[in-house]
Amino acid sequence: MDRAAAETTALDTFASRSGVCRDYSHLLVSLARAGGIPARCVSAYAPGVDPPDFHAVAELWLAGGLAADRCDQDGDVQ
């Protein structure tokens, strides 16, 4: 399966254990929402990428505060 395909689902990412930042964000948001945690996918500028480019980020509302995932410029989760 093409990991950059727009049709990749959260289940595809979970089963294959691979993907790009968008795939990981969709997976995290899906799992959070299934657990009753408010979450959304957003786009942000990725630091350290030249030329500047967008990065998919999952935001979760936890304990009254906002938490976001953290990936490096290669898309590896930190």
XYZ file of all heavy atoms in Angstrom:
568
model
N 0.836 -1.184 0.000
C 0.000 0.000 0.000
C 0.878 1.242 0.000
O 1.875 1.305 0.689
C -0.905 -0.003 1.233
C -1.656 1.295 1.398
S -2.714 1.342 2.839
C -3.955 0.212 2.290
N 0.499 2.245 -0.767
C 1.216 3.510 -0.831
C 0.946 4.286 0.453
O -0.175 4.709 0.706
C 0.759 4.303 -2.057
C 1.419 5.658 -2.176
O 2.350 5.932 -1.405
O 0.995 6.428 -3.044
N 1.974 4.472 1.299
C 1.785 5.123 2.599
C 1.419 6.588 2.470
O 0.925 7.176 3.408
C 3.045 4.991 3.449
C 3.435 3.591 3.766
C 2.329 2.693 4.272
N 1.538 3.261 5.326
C 0.309 2.866 5.639
N -0.263 1.902 4.971
N -0.357 3.423 6.608
N 1.663 7.202 1.333
C 1.321 8.606 1.166
C -0.067 8.789 0.569
O -0.499 9.899 0.338
C 2.357 9.298 0.288
N -0.777 7.700 0.321
C -2.100 7.787 -0.287
C -3.080 8.477 0.653
O -3.091 8.225 1.854
C -2.611 6.399 -0.643
N -3.903 9.355 0.109
C -4.889 10.081 0.907
C -5.963 9.157 1.458
O -6.672 9.524 2.378
C -5.521 11.193 0.071
N -6.081 7.947 0.920
C -7.119 7.023 1.358
C -6.693 6.173 2.554
O -7.460 5.343 3.025
C -7.527 6.075 0.218
C -8.004 6.767 -1.028
C -6.854 7.165 -1.941
O -5.773 6.555 -1.896
O -7.037 8.125 -2.702
N -5.481 6.340 3.047
C -4.997 5.549 4.169
C -5.871 5.824 5.389
O -6.083 6.964 5.769
C -3.536 5.904 4.499
O -2.752 5.721 3.335
C -2.995 5.041 5.612
N -6.369 4.753 6.020
C -7.206 4.905 7.204
C -6.380 4.714 8.473
O -5.252 4.221 8.426
C -8.349 3.873 7.203
O -7.780 2.565 7.353
C -9.166 3.948 5.917
N -6.962 5.080 9.604
C -6.294 4.861 10.884
C -6.038 3.370 11.096
O -4.992 2.979 11.609
C -7.132 5.441 12.016
N -6.978 2.538 10.676
C -6.800 1.088 10.812
C -5.631 0.597 9.954
O -4.853 -0.253 10.388
C -8.087 0.355 10.440
C -8.075 -1.162 10.628
C -7.704 -1.551 12.055
C -9.425 -1.746 10.244
N -5.483 1.136 8.736
C -4.342 0.784 7.880
C -3.021 1.097 8.591
O -2.096 0.288 8.588
C -4.366 1.566 6.566
C -5.519 1.211 5.657
O -6.022 0.074 5.734
O -5.921 2.087 4.858
N -2.947 2.278 9.187
C -1.727 2.701 9.867
C -1.450 1.812 11.068
O -0.314 1.386 11.295
C -1.845 4.172 10.317
O -2.093 4.980 9.159
C -0.583 4.651 11.003
N -2.489 1.497 11.848
C -2.322 0.638 13.014
C -1.831 -0.747 12.607
O -0.908 -1.289 13.204
C -3.646 0.542 13.773
C -3.558 -0.282 15.019
C -3.025 0.256 16.178
C -4.012 -1.584 15.038
C -2.935 -0.501 17.342
C -3.932 -2.349 16.188
C -3.395 -1.811 17.345
N -2.445 -1.306 11.584
C -2.097 -2.668 11.154
C -0.696 -2.742 10.553
O 0.041 -3.703 10.790
C -3.125 -3.178 10.151
N -0.308 -1.732 9.784
C 0.991 -1.767 9.112
C 2.130 -1.227 9.976
O 3.305 -1.446 9.671
C 0.937 -0.965 7.816
O 0.801 0.418 8.096
N 1.765 -0.475 11.032
C 2.753 0.159 11.904
C 3.723 1.031 11.107
O 4.919 1.109 11.412
C 3.514 -0.865 12.728
C 2.652 -1.613 13.722
C 3.448 -2.552 14.539
N 2.948 -3.289 15.635
C 1.758 -3.389 16.170
N 0.779 -2.714 15.689
N 1.489 -4.152 17.195
N 3.186 1.669 10.074
C 4.011 2.576 9.274
C 3.131 3.666 8.681
O 1.922 3.519 8.605
C 4.732 1.813 8.157
O 3.791 1.298 7.242
N 3.757 4.750 8.294
C 3.018 5.836 7.680
C 3.815 7.122 7.727
O 5.008 7.131 8.041
N 3.130 8.207 7.426
C 3.711 9.545 7.490
C 2.989 10.308 8.592
O 2.049 9.791 9.197
C 3.607 10.269 6.119
C 4.435 9.555 5.063
C 2.161 10.387 5.673
N 3.399 11.527 8.859
C 2.848 12.286 9.984
C 1.323 12.362 9.939
O 0.665 12.251 10.979
C 3.469 13.678 10.059
S 3.212 14.738 8.620
N 0.748 12.513 8.765
C -0.716 12.569 8.640
C -1.351 11.266 9.121
O -2.346 11.276 9.834
C -1.109 12.845 7.189
C -2.618 12.943 6.974
C -3.008 12.811 5.502
N -2.655 11.489 5.010
C -1.815 11.253 4.003
N -1.246 12.232 3.372
N -1.547 10.008 3.630
N -0.743 10.132 8.757
C -1.270 8.835 9.167
C -1.226 8.672 10.686
O -2.191 8.218 11.301
C -0.476 7.701 8.511
C -0.519 7.764 6.994
O -1.608 8.030 6.440
O 0.528 7.556 6.373
N -0.102 9.034 11.288
C 0.041 8.912 12.741
C -0.923 9.843 13.475
O -1.476 9.478 14.515
C 1.477 9.175 13.176
C 2.458 8.180 12.621
C 3.586 8.590 11.937
C 2.246 6.811 12.768
C 4.490 7.673 11.424
C 3.147 5.883 12.254
C 4.258 6.327 11.587
O 5.151 5.422 11.071
N -1.120 11.040 12.944
C -2.064 11.977 13.564
C -3.484 11.432 13.501
O -4.222 11.482 14.488
C -1.997 13.347 12.881
O -0.758 13.948 13.132
N -3.868 10.899 12.341
C -5.209 10.319 12.215
C -5.393 9.156 13.184
O -6.461 9.014 13.797
C -5.453 9.838 10.786
C -5.658 10.943 9.809
N -5.618 10.736 8.453
C -5.898 12.258 9.975
C -5.832 11.876 7.837
N -6.000 12.819 8.735
N -4.373 8.324 13.334
C -4.460 7.189 14.249
C -4.625 7.665 15.692
O -5.502 7.189 16.417
C -3.223 6.303 14.123
C -3.130 5.130 15.102
C -4.325 4.196 14.955
C -1.822 4.378 14.890
N -3.794 8.611 16.127
C -3.873 9.111 17.494
C -5.220 9.767 17.769
O -5.839 9.530 18.819
C -2.729 10.086 17.776
C -2.682 10.687 19.182
C -2.659 9.595 20.249
C -1.489 11.606 19.320
N -5.707 10.568 16.839
C -7.008 11.218 17.014
C -8.126 10.179 17.074
O -9.031 10.268 17.905
C -7.256 12.260 15.896
C -8.708 12.709 15.861
C -6.335 13.456 16.090
N -8.057 9.160 16.232
C -9.080 8.103 16.240
C -9.105 7.371 17.580
O -10.178 7.126 18.144
C -8.829 7.096 15.117
O -8.958 7.717 13.866
N -7.933 7.016 18.092
C -7.862 6.314 19.371
C -8.341 7.201 20.522
O -9.057 6.742 21.414
C -6.431 5.832 19.629
C -5.922 4.741 18.692
C -4.433 4.502 18.908
C -6.713 3.454 18.865
N -7.950 8.464 20.501
C -8.378 9.391 21.552
C -9.896 9.555 21.542
O -10.548 9.462 22.586
C -7.694 10.744 21.374
N -10.465 9.789 20.374
C -11.914 9.971 20.279
C -12.669 8.708 20.695
O -13.717 8.792 21.335
C -12.308 10.380 18.860
C -11.894 11.802 18.532
C -12.300 12.158 17.122
N -11.981 13.537 16.805
C -12.185 14.083 15.620
N -12.703 13.355 14.633
N -11.874 15.334 15.407
N -12.128 7.540 20.354
C -12.760 6.277 20.760
C -12.779 6.153 22.279
O -13.672 5.528 22.841
C -12.031 5.092 20.136
N -11.804 6.766 22.945
C -11.730 6.757 24.398
C -12.428 7.938 25.043
O -12.297 8.149 26.252
N -13.152 8.725 24.252
C -13.896 9.860 24.790
C -13.072 11.110 25.029
O -13.516 12.029 25.714
N -11.880 11.165 24.464
C -11.012 12.341 24.616
C -11.175 13.234 23.393
O -10.975 12.779 22.264
C -9.537 11.914 24.753
C -9.352 11.027 25.981
C -8.616 13.132 24.805
C -7.998 10.357 26.063
N -11.544 14.501 23.581
C -11.640 15.415 22.439
C -10.289 15.556 21.745
O -9.260 15.728 22.401
C -12.067 16.745 23.066
C -12.650 16.380 24.396
C -11.902 15.150 24.845
N -10.284 15.452 20.418
C -9.035 15.521 19.663
C -9.305 16.014 18.254
O -10.427 15.898 17.755
C -8.380 14.142 19.618
N -8.260 16.563 17.633
C -8.370 17.016 16.241
C -7.011 16.945 15.571
O -5.965 16.955 16.229
C -8.905 18.440 16.171
C -7.965 19.471 16.770
C -8.543 20.854 16.719
N -7.624 21.824 17.340
C -7.866 23.106 17.415
N -8.987 23.594 16.916
N -7.003 23.915 17.975
N -7.036 16.881 14.234
C -5.826 16.950 13.418
C -5.649 18.390 12.953
O -6.619 19.028 12.532
C -5.939 16.045 12.191
S -5.884 14.300 12.551
N -4.442 18.894 13.038
C -4.144 20.243 12.573
C -2.866 20.208 11.738
O -2.095 19.251 11.801
C -3.982 21.247 13.739
C -5.270 21.371 14.523
C -2.850 20.853 14.648
N -2.643 21.253 10.974
C -1.401 21.413 10.216
C -0.593 22.538 10.836
O -1.148 23.564 11.237
C -1.703 21.758 8.752
O -2.321 20.680 8.115
N 0.703 22.339 10.929
C 1.600 23.347 11.481
C 2.890 23.320 10.676
O 3.180 22.336 9.994
C 1.896 23.033 12.942
N 3.652 24.394 10.747
C 4.952 24.384 10.090
C 5.902 23.480 10.857
O 5.995 23.552 12.080
C 5.543 25.794 9.998
C 5.021 26.575 8.826
C 4.145 27.627 9.004
C 5.400 26.245 7.530
C 3.654 28.346 7.923
C 4.918 26.943 6.443
C 4.047 27.997 6.647
O 3.566 28.695 5.584
N 6.591 22.611 10.147
C 7.560 21.707 10.762
C 8.870 22.460 10.979
O 9.408 23.034 10.045
C 7.783 20.488 9.881
N 9.390 22.454 12.204
C 10.648 23.162 12.462
C 11.832 22.435 11.825
O 11.855 21.204 11.737
C 10.753 23.126 13.993
C 9.962 21.932 14.399
C 8.853 21.811 13.386
N 12.790 23.203 11.357
C 14.017 22.633 10.831
C 13.915 22.044 9.445
O 14.835 21.384 8.989
N 12.803 22.257 8.757
C 12.644 21.727 7.408
C 12.906 22.855 6.414
O 12.352 23.951 6.540
C 11.222 21.149 7.191
C 11.031 20.714 5.763
C 10.976 19.996 8.139
N 13.777 22.597 5.449
C 14.113 23.609 4.459
C 13.902 23.033 3.070
O 14.549 22.038 2.726
C 15.564 24.054 4.642
C 15.914 25.254 3.784
O 15.012 26.074 3.523
O 17.078 25.353 3.361
N 13.004 23.562 2.271
C 12.173 24.731 2.548
C 11.076 24.412 3.547
O 10.737 23.244 3.735
C 11.586 25.069 1.176
C 11.533 23.760 0.454
C 12.718 22.980 0.949
N 10.519 25.447 4.207
C 9.460 25.226 5.196
C 8.305 24.425 4.593
O 7.950 24.597 3.429
C 9.007 26.638 5.556
C 10.190 27.497 5.240
C 10.845 26.857 4.047
N 7.765 23.513 5.382
C 6.683 22.660 4.909
C 5.718 22.398 6.056
O 6.050 22.582 7.225
C 7.247 21.342 4.391
C 6.278 20.602 3.477
O 5.171 21.116 3.223
O 6.630 19.505 3.010
N 4.511 21.938 5.711
C 3.511 21.633 6.723
C 3.752 20.265 7.337
O 4.319 19.373 6.720
C 2.100 21.685 6.139
C 1.600 23.074 5.924
C 1.483 23.589 4.650
C 1.249 23.870 7.000
C 1.022 24.874 4.444
C 0.795 25.154 6.812
C 0.672 25.665 5.526
N 3.295 20.115 8.572
C 3.404 18.868 9.330
C 2.050 18.613 9.977
O 1.431 19.539 10.497
C 4.496 19.022 10.394
C 4.623 17.867 11.316
N 4.967 16.611 10.879
C 4.454 17.767 12.658
C 5.002 15.795 11.926
N 4.691 16.472 12.999
N 1.565 17.385 9.920
C 0.302 17.026 10.563
C 0.562 16.758 12.039
O 1.508 16.069 12.402
C -0.295 15.790 9.904
N -0.287 17.334 12.883
C -0.148 17.229 14.329
C -1.493 16.848 14.929
O -2.527 17.365 14.503
C 0.316 18.572 14.933
C 0.414 18.503 16.441
C 1.646 18.997 14.326
N -1.495 15.965 15.918
C -2.709 15.624 16.660
C -2.749 16.466 17.925
O -1.757 16.551 18.652
C -2.733 14.152 17.013
N -3.885 17.125 18.173
C -4.081 17.871 19.412
C -5.145 17.162 20.231
O -6.204 16.821 19.713
C -4.522 19.304 19.120
C -3.459 20.158 18.494
C -3.890 21.599 18.320
O -5.099 21.880 18.304
O -2.996 22.443 18.184
N -4.862 16.939 21.509
C -5.785 16.290 22.427
C -6.051 17.207 23.599
O -5.137 17.894 24.070
C -5.194 14.976 22.969
C -5.143 13.778 22.028
C -4.190 13.986 20.895
C -4.802 12.547 22.812
N -7.291 17.219 24.069
C -7.653 18.006 25.241
C -7.565 17.084 26.452
O -8.418 16.220 26.667
C -9.055 18.573 25.083
C -9.413 19.531 26.159
C -10.224 19.286 27.225
C -8.980 20.891 26.293
N -10.313 20.386 28.007
C -9.562 21.404 27.469
C -8.139 21.705 25.548
C -9.353 22.699 27.905
C -7.937 23.005 25.980
C -8.536 23.482 27.137
N -6.507 17.238 27.248
C -6.258 16.378 28.399
C -6.208 17.188 29.682
O -5.468 18.174 29.752
C -4.929 15.630 28.241
C -4.793 14.691 27.046
C -3.374 14.182 26.927
C -5.765 13.538 27.196
N -6.976 16.789 30.675
C -6.951 17.404 32.012
C -7.039 18.932 31.937
O -6.308 19.633 32.626
C -5.708 16.958 32.773
N -7.901 19.428 31.073
C -8.094 20.871 30.973
C -7.018 21.597 30.205
O -7.003 22.820 30.156
N -6.110 20.879 29.578
C -5.049 21.513 28.805
C -4.889 20.843 27.455
O -5.387 19.744 27.222
N -4.209 21.516 26.568
C -4.009 21.019 25.212
C -2.675 20.294 25.121
O -1.652 20.806 25.572
C -4.029 22.187 24.228
C -4.043 21.857 22.761
C -5.330 21.121 22.391
C -3.941 23.131 21.944
N -2.681 19.094 24.556
C -1.456 18.333 24.341
C -1.317 18.049 22.849
O -2.311 17.830 22.171
C -1.487 17.021 25.112
N -0.105 18.072 22.341
C 0.133 17.807 20.925
C 1.197 16.741 20.783
O 2.083 16.618 21.636
C 0.568 19.082 20.210
N 1.107 15.964 19.698
C 2.133 14.958 19.458
C 3.426 15.644 19.036
O 3.439 16.811 18.686
C 1.683 13.929 18.427
C 1.655 14.461 16.998
O 1.638 15.687 16.809
O 1.641 13.648 16.083
N 4.500 14.881 19.076
C 5.801 15.436 18.711
C 6.510 14.473 17.777
O 6.780 13.336 18.135
C 6.631 15.639 19.980
C 8.090 15.855 19.749
C 8.521 17.225 20.214
N 9.963 17.339 20.308
C 10.788 17.332 19.275
N 10.339 17.153 18.077
N 12.086 17.489 19.445
N 6.782 14.932 16.562
C 7.556 14.162 15.590
C 8.727 15.013 15.139
O 8.626 16.234 15.066
C 6.719 13.805 14.368
S 5.407 12.629 14.665
N 9.827 14.367 14.818
C 10.957 15.120 14.280
C 10.744 15.347 12.782
O 9.741 14.941 12.205
C 12.286 14.441 14.574
C 12.435 13.088 13.901
O 11.688 12.806 12.940
O 13.313 12.322 14.341
N 11.690 16.009 12.134
C 11.517 16.380 10.729
C 11.450 15.183 9.789
O 11.012 15.314 8.663
C 12.600 17.355 10.296
C 13.996 16.773 10.285
C 15.042 17.840 10.054
O 14.800 19.018 10.274
N 16.197 17.436 9.597
N 11.869 13.999 10.263
C 11.764 12.801 9.449
C 10.455 12.058 9.703
O 10.205 11.012 9.119
C 12.936 11.858 9.741
C 14.264 12.474 9.342
O 14.298 13.165 8.298
O 15.247 12.276 10.072
N 9.612 12.589 10.600
C 8.341 11.958 10.909
C 8.431 10.905 11.992
O 7.464 10.209 12.274
N 9.606 10.788 12.636
C 9.770 9.811 13.705
C 9.194 10.376 15.000
O 9.501 11.494 15.386
C 11.247 9.475 13.921
C 11.863 8.814 12.697
O 11.138 8.063 12.009
O 13.054 9.057 12.422
N 8.358 9.600 15.673
C 7.733 10.048 16.906
C 8.787 10.119 18.001
O 9.580 9.196 18.176
C 6.581 9.096 17.319
C 5.991 9.537 18.655
C 5.537 9.063 16.245
N 8.788 11.214 18.746
C 9.746 11.419 19.831
C 9.075 11.118 21.158
O 7.960 11.360 21.374
C 10.235 12.868 19.846
C 10.915 13.257 18.551
C 12.194 12.502 18.328
O 13.057 12.493 19.192
N 12.315 11.833 17.218
